[in-house]
Amino acid sequence: RYMDMAQQNGRLSAMILDGTPNQGAGVIDNLLPVNSSFPSEAQRMITQMLNLRTQAQSCTGCQSMEAIQGWINRFANEDVKNYYQQLKPSNSVITNLETPGIPYAVIWGNEDHEDALTLTRLVTSWENAGVSGDDEAYIDCFNSIIEQRIQEANQQFALGLMQSIAQLAGAAGKIFTTNPNPGEAIEKAINAAVTALRSMFNLQKEIQEVAECELVHQAMNAQWNLMLAPYETHTGYLDVPCLPCEQCESEEDPQVAGWCWSNCMYGCDPLTQSFQEPYTFITFQPHDGLLLKTEQLLAGAAKTYEAKGVNHMQEQFWEYAPIGNAFQDLFNGGAGAAFIVPK
């Protein structure tokens, strides 16, 4: 866009903007430290999460959180920091950009994974960017270590428990909407959830560790989502029957399963009792793990494509169908003659 604005001889005839911060990148405010004495919000967040998992040794096996810390700390490098300062929405580099004077198309990434492990997936793709941008490696490793620890402890019932643990981490995320000190709130919520686990279950040390590990991992990603994207809160009620604990594992809705475990462990009568349980969830503006949809869009585009299920690091790879298909459509003339590549 800057080349188009500055060109004198019309050498650019069209442009494709793929995962581009056309309106700047608001997350930069959370990634860039003020100076060496004042770490960034993201640095404070990852340090806090690493400190919370001191007893959860199974978290260390994949080194995923250390990799995330390494990626975040890169933004404290002075040269890197100076470069990314330009991407702040208020920076003159962004505000002075003119609307392109040539045909342009926009491809915007929408990470949109159900598990909401946005930060873990983003850094996994960053680590693999020289190969394929795969975003599963750290998550697969993390899950396999947790399952192995549970099996070694010979407490199979905990597999069902782990499916609902994420609900406790989600409860920590809700506090962000009203609490002026989210860092303190998330720490208190996690510690409260861990304490509740210990009091509710006579768990072996290994099971306590993996439960804490899952809570910390989920909370880290929840906090990243909350730092990254604007959100709205929604509330409602769920009908939760009183079931024997062994039947809670078969509940497909994780919210129902979470309340099912809570009710059965505290005791309820399956013949007479059911519950109206409150729930709250947060919806985020779509994003690619780093840039919001609104930051990537640019009015006046000849055609706009959504790369659903593709994070920011993956937008450089044609291996991901939404990216490859968008380019192919452009080169075939789907957005006009300006983008056609002769065969």
Side-chain angles (χ1 to χ4, degrees):
R1 289 184 60 187
Y2 184 82
M3 288 173 64
D4 171 56
M5 185 174 70
Q7 69 176 343
Q8 301 297 319
N9 54 6
R11 295 178 65 185
L12 291 176
S13 59
M15 70 173 78
I16 301 169
L17 302 165
D18 178 11
T20 307
N22 287 301
Q23 317 299 334
V27 73
I28 295 299
D29 285 326
N30 289 314
L31 281 171
L32 299 186
V34 176
N35 54 49
S36 58
S37 301
F38 294 93
S40 68
E41 287 297 318
Q43 285 177 307
R44 285 196 286 268
M45 179 267 289
I46 189 64
T47 299
Q48 177 192 44
M49 294 303 163
L50 286 167
N51 290 338
L52 281 173
R53 64 154 208 196
T54 23
Q55 299 304 314
Q57 297 305 313
S58 55
C59 281
T60 64
C62 304
Q63 301 293 302
S64 60
M65 294 181 72
E66 286 78 4
I68 289 169
Q69 185 179 45
W71 178 76
I72 288 173
N73 284 342
R74 285 180 69 251
F75 293 90
N77 177 285
E78 202 61 31
D79 291 338
V80 174
K81 179 181 172 182
N82 290 339
Y83 173 79
Y84 281 102
Q85 287 275 12
Q86 301 173 89
L87 293 186
K88 289 187 175 183
S90 59
N91 191 280
S92 60
V93 171
I94 296 296
T95 59
N96 289 340
L97 279 175
E98 298 174 1
T99 301
I102 56 177
Y104 57 95
V106 171
I107 304 171
W108 68 278
N110 183 2
E111 202 259 0
D112 193 42
H113 281 284
E114 289 184 359
D115 59 20
L117 299 177
T118 304
L119 183 56
T120 303
R121 290 189 176 280
L122 185 74
V123 175
T124 306
S125 296
W126 175 71
E127 292 273 14
N128 291 325
V131 185
S132 65
D134 166 65
D135 67 346
E136 297 283 348
Y138 278 131
I139 293 172
D140 288 346
C141 178
F142 182 86
N143 288 337
S144 66
I145 285 182
I146 283 183
E147 289 183 12
Q148 180 182 355
R149 297 271 290 182
I150 290 173
Q151 290 168 5
E152 287 173 355
N154 196 29
Q155 292 197 24
Q156 292 296 324
F157 83 92
L159 285 169
L161 169 65
M162 293 306 296
Q163 293 173 1
S164 59
I165 286 294
Q167 298 304 308
L168 295 173
K174 289 188 294 186
I175 298 174
F176 280 90
T177 61
T178 56
N179 194 294
N181 189 344
E184 181 182 347
I186 196 91
E187 182 174 358
K188 287 182 177 179
I190 293 173
N191 287 335
V194 171
T195 301
L197 281 172
R198 288 172 176 163
S199 63
M200 286 168 61
F201 303 99
N202 182 22
L203 298 179
Q204 295 180 19
K205 177 176 178 289
E206 292 82 2
I207 302 301
Q208 289 185 20
E209 287 180 358
V210 295
E212 292 175 30
C213 188
E214 177 72 3
L215 279 167
V216 170
H217 189 228
Q218 292 282 350
M220 175 186 64
N221 280 278
Q223 192 164 353
W224 175 255
N225 275 304
L226 290 162
M227 286 197 299
L228 172 65
Y231 56 86
E232 295 180 356
T233 57
H234 309 266
T235 58
Y237 289 88
L238 285 170
D239 289 315
V240 181
C242 175
L243 298 173
C245 287
E246 60 270 17
Q247 293 185 29
C248 293
E249 296 182 17
S250 62
E251 287 290 338
E252 295 183 1
D253 187 333
Q255 293 181 111
V256 175
W259 281 114
C260 179
W261 278 104
S262 175
N263 293 337
C264 76
M265 293 306 296
Y266 281 110
C268 60
D269 184 353
L271 296 178
T272 62
Q273 286 185 280
S274 63
F275 302 89
Q276 279 265 308
E277 301 289 5
Y279 69 89
T280 301
F281 66 94
I282 296 171
T283 57
F284 296 92
Q285 184 185 129
H287 58 75
D288 68 358
L290 202 63
L291 300 174
L292 304 177
K293 174 183 178 180
T294 52
E295 291 173 337
Q296 298 173 75
L297 297 183
L298 187 61
K303 194 167 183 177
T304 297
Y305 302 84
E306 176 187 1
K308 193 167 185 177
V310 180
N311 71 40
H312 188 76
M313 305 300 175
Q314 294 170 333
E315 286 159 12
Q316 62 190 295
F317 294 102
W318 281 45
E319 286 90 339
Y320 295 93
I323 300 296
N325 292 343
F327 274 94
Q328 200 60 61
D329 182 73
L330 285 164
F331 295 161
N332 289 339
F339 303 94
I340 292 177
V341 175
K343 297 180 180 179

